[in-house]
């Protein structure tokens, strides 16, 4: 018997485009915020790194809190879509303001950055991203459709990241350079994200659990998700071992991503001697991911398990990471590019199936505990993305300070080598 389908092709595309909206801000901040702060605003990389780390400690608490709020939401739009729709307004506003740091004295500039960086991550991006991640479990109950949604959304994410990596520096210069250029680019991406996110929300609808199960209201389990307290939600999370495993995967992935994205433009500029290589490496990172994501649903069927497929993929990515390090030490560009391509080809399936794994994990709690906590469950994706990415970015700031980086210098000193 064929499993019921819930989505038209255009609804799958519309859902996937939501990750384009998310990455208009996330890719810009993760790849370029340190360069903007240290070069355009002349802030100290060590202080910035510490502020990022402090902000992420607050951020980690807000994820589960907003997930719980979403689970108790009742509206004509459903539970997730209102948070996704209205959260993006704050995301776009705080994204723009982050790249508008005024000339107000260094101490106040650090305060300004911390306030809007925290607002972006801990409040607005949290509300929007948890809702977007949970939406995959709410608009379809079909496992294959969930895998497809995961692949489509990350194709959009990788395309967006690629476009931002290739074009941001040129756009900044075309719009006047310096703080003016960064401000204009941030405004463009903020408005673009707002429009795309709105389209995504309006093109899909949430499927109630009782409709999916074809049961009457009287047959609905008494432990309704909207009656579950915050404390009870935390207990249910701890009873689900798969949640903790996936949270660990998210953290590991995005700590690595935060370090690589935060340092990439600096690495290409000062170590490889050519900032335009960022676009080339982004191409070798993202094209294989887009290729493999189109094949991920088929691979899941072939391996018979998302978990087994991802285990083999992790082994390959680790090996290719070692090869890349040896290539980088020797500034061997061909080795670096080939290992980057193969590493991301192997890592693509995990990217495409993580959201589907969380959806299945959430269903596990529904089956075993008769409780629906999609919002809290999908907080692992938001915690992983923001906490992992924040730790990675903070590490870059600390390493820059330790290495004697000077954002205003055209050529960096060899202070780090002497140490």
């Amino acid at each position: 018997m064929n499993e019921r389908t819930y989505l038209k092709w255009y609804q799958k595309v519309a859902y996937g485009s939501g990750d384009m909206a998310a990455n208009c801000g996330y890719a810009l901040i993760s790849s370029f915020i340190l360069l903007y702060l240290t070069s355009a605003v002349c802030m100290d990389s060590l202080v910035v790194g510490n502020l990022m780390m402090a902000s992420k400690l607050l951020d980690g608490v807000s994820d589960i809190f907003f997930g719980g709020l979403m689970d108790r939401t009742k509206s004509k739009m459903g539970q997730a879509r209102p948070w996704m729709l209205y959260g993006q307004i704050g995301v776009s506003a705080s994204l723009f303001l982050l790249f508008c740091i005024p000339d107000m004295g260094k101490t106040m500039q650090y305060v300004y950055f911390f306030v809007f960086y925290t607002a972006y991550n801990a409040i607005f991006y949290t509300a929007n991203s948890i809702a977007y991640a949970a939406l995959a479990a709410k608009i379809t109950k079909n496992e294959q459709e969930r895998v497809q949604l995961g692949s489509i959304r990350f194709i959009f994410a990788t395309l967006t990241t690629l476009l931002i990596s290739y074009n941001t520096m040129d756009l900044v210069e075309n719009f006047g350079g310096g703080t003016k250029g960064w401000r204009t680019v941030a405004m463009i991406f903020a408005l673009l994200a707002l429009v795309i996110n709105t389209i995504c929300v309006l093109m899909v609808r949430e499927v109630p659990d009782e409709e999916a199960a074809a049961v009457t209201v009287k047959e609905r389990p008494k432990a309704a998700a909207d009656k579950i307290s915050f404390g009870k939600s935390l207990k249910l999370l701890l009873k689900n071992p798969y949640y903790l495993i996936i949270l660990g995967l998210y953290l590991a992935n995005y700590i690595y991503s935060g370090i690589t994205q935060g340092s990439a433009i600096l690495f290409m500029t000062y170590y490889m001697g050519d900032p335009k290589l960022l676009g080339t490496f982004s191409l070798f990172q993202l094209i294989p991911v887009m290729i493999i994501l189109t094949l991920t649903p088929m691979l899941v069927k072939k391996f018979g398990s998302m978990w087994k497929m991802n285990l083999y993929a992790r082994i390959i990515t680790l090996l290719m990471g070692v090869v890349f390090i040896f290539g980088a030490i020797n500034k061997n560009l061909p080795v670096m590019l080939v290992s980057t391509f193969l590493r991301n080809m192997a890592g693509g399936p995990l990217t495409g199936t993580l959201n589907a794994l969380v959806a299945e994990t959430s269903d596990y709690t529904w089956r075993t505990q008769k409780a629906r906590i999609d919002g809290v469950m999908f907080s692992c994706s938001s915690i992983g993305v923001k906490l992992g990415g924040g730790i990675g970015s903070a590490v870059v700031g600390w390493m820059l300070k330790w290495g004697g980086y000077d954002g205003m210098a055209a050529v960096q000193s060899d202070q780090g080598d002497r140490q």
Side-chain angles (χ1 to χ4, degrees), residues 91-101 112 182-184 186-188 190:
V91 169
S92 292
S94 53
L95 171 64
F96 172 66
L97 291 170
L98 261 177
F99 286 88
C100 294
I101 297 178
Y112 179 102
W182 285 108
R183 183 169 60 248
T184 305
M187 180 180 67
I188 292 172

Side-chain angles (χ1 to χ4, degrees), residues 9-326:
W9 68 267
Y10 59 85
Q11 291 177 308
K12 296 175 185 178
V13 173
Y15 174 82
S17 70
D19 229 334
M20 177 178 284
N23 276 275
C24 281
Y26 180 79
L28 185 65
I29 289 176
S30 61
S31 295
F32 296 101
I33 191 67
L34 273 172
L35 182 64
Y36 163 73
L37 294 173
T38 57
S39 297
V41 190
C42 304
M43 296 171 73
D44 186 276
S45 61
L46 177 62
V47 177
V48 170
N50 290 335
L51 290 176
M52 285 180 170
M53 193 68 256
S55 176
K56 292 305 174 181
L57 294 177
L58 298 174
D59 202 0
V61 177
S62 70
D63 291 276
I64 297 177
F65 173 75
F66 275 105
L69 287 179
M70 196 199 79
D71 285 330
R72 291 189 288 275
T73 297
K74 292 182 179 180
S75 76
K76 292 182 179 179
M77 293 180 64
Q79 291 183 310
R81 292 200 301 156
W83 289 98
M84 185 177 169
L85 180 65
Y86 300 118
Q88 182 62 47
I89 298 174
V91 169
S92 292
S94 53
L95 171 64
F96 172 66
L97 291 170
L98 261 177
F99 286 88
C100 294
I101 297 178
D103 186 6
M104 54 196 305
K106 277 292 174 279
T107 299
M108 290 307 299
Q109 284 182 329
Y110 288 124
V111 172
Y112 179 102
F113 164 73
F114 181 79
V115 169
F116 286 107
Y117 184 76
T118 302
Y120 175 89
N121 286 288
I123 301 176
F124 300 117
Y125 187 82
T126 292
N128 176 269
S129 63
I130 288 178
Y132 178 58
L135 198 59
K138 293 184 175 296
I139 62 177
T140 178
K141 308 302 177 182
N142 184 303
E143 180 181 341
Q144 280 301 308
E145 284 188 330
R146 288 173 175 175
V147 173
Q148 291 168 0
L149 290 178
S151 295
I152 293 170
R153 67 173 287 195
F154 282 106
I155 288 174
F156 274 101
T158 52
L159 275 172
T160 308
T161 302
L162 181 60
L163 289 172
I164 290 175
S165 298
Y166 258 115
N167 297 300
T168 295
M169 296 305 299
D170 286 338
L171 286 172
V172 170
E173 291 303 316
N174 290 338
F175 287 115
T179 56
K180 178 184 177 182
W182 285 108
R183 183 169 60 248
T184 305
V185 169
M187 180 180 67
I188 292 172
F189 285 131
L191 292 175
L192 184 62
L194 185 61
V195 172
I196 295 173
N197 183 84
T198 302
I199 293 173
C200 173
V201 171
L202 297 180
M203 288 291 285
V204 299
R205 79 176 188 94
E206 297 181 25
V207 181
D209 287 308
E210 57 268 23
E211 177 183 327
V215 298
T216 65
V217 175
K218 291 182 180 179
E219 292 171 319
R220 186 183 179 189
K222 293 183 179 180
D226 52 13
K227 295 181 180 179
I228 297 176
S229 67
F230 180 72
K232 178 66 174 177
S233 296
L234 291 178
K235 290 180 181 179
L236 289 171
L237 284 182
L238 295 177
K239 287 183 179 179
N240 191 327
Y242 304 109
Y243 171 84
L244 300 176
I245 293 172
I246 295 175
L247 176 59
L249 286 173
Y250 265 109
L251 284 171
N253 266 11
Y254 282 94
I255 288 174
Y256 171 82
S257 177
I259 292 174
T260 54
Q261 288 185 328
S263 61
I265 185 64
L266 300 165
F267 177 81
M268 300 305 168
T269 300
Y270 298 111
Y271 185 76
M272 298 299 293
D274 184 1
K276 292 183 178 179
L277 282 175
L278 177 62
T280 303
F281 271 90
S282 295
L283 188 67
F284 275 74
Q285 287 177 326
L286 302 177
I287 291 300
V289 174
M290 288 189 287
I291 293 172
I292 199 67
L293 285 178
T294 62
L295 303 175
T296 295
M298 180 187 70
L299 291 173
V300 171
K301 281 186 176 181
K302 182 175 179 61
F303 281 92
S305 165
M306 288 184 282
W307 298 94
K308 183 186 293 186
M309 178 187 66
N310 286 318
L311 175 62
Y312 294 134
R314 286 294 91 184
I315 295 173
I316 296 173
T317 57
L318 287 173
L319 291 175
M320 289 301 102
V322 173
V323 174
F324 177 86
I325 291 172
F326 279 107

Side-chain angles (χ1 to χ4, degrees), residues 371-392:
R372 177 62 74 185
I373 53 169
D374 289 326
V376 175
M377 190 66 65
F378 274 89
S379 67
C380 69
S381 64
S382 183
I383 292 173
V385 170
K386 294 190 285 85
L387 182 58
I391 291 173

Side-chain angles (χ1 to χ4, degrees), residues 317-389:
T317 57
L318 287 173
L319 291 175
M320 289 301 102
V322 173
V323 174
F324 177 86
I325 291 172
F326 279 107
I329 291 173
N330 296 288
K331 294 187 178 181
N332 190 320
L333 188 59
V335 170
M336 295 168 67
L337 290 173
V338 170
S339 60
T340 295
F341 187 93
L342 295 177
R343 186 184 189 284
N344 284 275
M345 178 71 80
L350 180 62
T351 302
T353 57
L354 265 176
N355 221 43
L357 287 170
V358 183
E360 294 300 312
T361 300
S362 185
D363 284 347
Y364 173 81
T365 294
W366 171 254
R367 292 193 305 270
T368 59
Q369 305 295 326
K370 298 305 178 187
R372 177 62 74 185
I373 53 169
D374 289 326
V376 175
M377 190 66 65
F378 274 89
S379 67
C380 69
S381 64
S382 183
I383 292 173
V385 170
K386 294 190 285 85
L387 182 58

